[in-house]
Amino acid sequence: MGFLFVVSQAQKWVAEKVRPGDIVIDATAGNGSDTLFLARTAGTGGTVYAFDIQSEALEQTRNRLESEADGESLAPVTLVHDGHEVMKDRIASAHHGKIAAIMFNLGFLPGGSQAVITQTPTTLAALDAALPLLRSGGILTVVVYPGHEGGQAEADAVLAWASEIEPSLAQTVVYRFPQKAAAPYLIALNKR
């Protein structure tokens, strides 16, 4: 058996930190894969916020939640049609500092227009907003995609951001397949 793909590794690490009843964020709803995972993991007593700037992505997420739940008890999901950089303003203030996990999956909507991609300035603003929302022991994961136009610059910026985090604030790690320079990779942070 080989190593887990980066998205699966992100979910594995998040599953180790999130407990039923927790508050979690999917910063990039996309096709809803991480949103569904977070709703299952947080359970009925939990809360999920899912952000995306594309109404098509939020519709795909809503459809995935409805079709793949299979009668499971999921956390309620608030779909937020806005950029992840405003998450601090869109998350209930009572939840600030109490978020167990925040997941980012950068790039473009699978099957959607590749002209609409996450942007480095808003991604960095979102990461800055996310850090104080996390509780002590909370996890932040970012899957970056250097293989598409603009992706390498964004990946480099996220890596630089993570590298500059004070070790007293959080521990950071990179999970990457070095033989494939253009392959997606994972940058994660565990808040102290």
Side-chain angles (χ1 to χ4, degrees):
M1 182 171 117
F3 293 108
L4 291 176
F5 180 64
V6 294
V7 173
S8 298
Q9 185 63 51
Q11 290 183 352
K12 180 179 186 298
W13 286 343
V14 167
E16 293 171 359
K17 298 287 184 180
V18 175
R19 300 290 169 250
D22 278 342
I23 307 158
V24 294
I25 299 171
D26 184 350
T28 50
N31 62 18
S33 178
D34 285 336
T35 305
L36 178 61
F37 161 75
L38 289 168
R40 284 180 170 145
T41 306
T44 56
T47 301
V48 180
Y49 293 93
F51 287 81
D52 212 291
I53 61 167
Q54 296 181 79
S55 55
E56 176 187 358
L58 295 175
E59 189 60 32
Q60 285 183 26
T61 297
R62 180 180 290 107
N63 291 340
R64 173 166 268 173
L65 290 168
E66 290 171 359
S67 68
E68 294 187 32
D70 294 329
E72 287 182 78
S73 297
L74 301 177
V77 177
T78 300
L79 298 174
V80 183
H81 188 201
D82 214 337
H84 49 211
E85 70 275 12
V86 300
M87 74 172 72
K88 184 178 175 191
D89 299 327
R90 299 299 301 269
I91 300 296
S93 60
H95 294 164
H96 291 199
K98 297 179 182 173
I99 306 297
I102 304 173
M103 300 183 77
F104 289 78
N105 198 333
L106 303 179
F108 52 85
L109 176 64
S113 171
Q114 292 187 20
V116 181
I117 60 172
T118 53
Q119 300 292 317
T120 301
T122 54
T123 296
L124 293 176
L127 292 170
D128 286 339
L131 196 51
L133 293 174
L134 283 174
R135 69 179 182 205
S136 178
I139 186 168
L140 183 146
T141 63
V142 186
V143 176
V144 296
Y145 293 83
H148 68 83
E149 188 174 336
Q152 184 65 59
E154 185 175 45
D156 291 345
V158 172
L159 184 58
W161 176 86
S163 299
E164 293 169 6
I165 299 289
E166 288 294 326
S168 61
L169 181 60
Q171 179 183 34
T172 59
V173 66
V174 176
Y175 179 82
R176 186 174 197 171
F177 298 91
Q179 297 106 325
K180 300 177 182 177
Y185 63 96
L186 170 62
I187 300 166
L189 173 152
N190 186 38
K191 189 172 181 182
R192 296 200 188 276

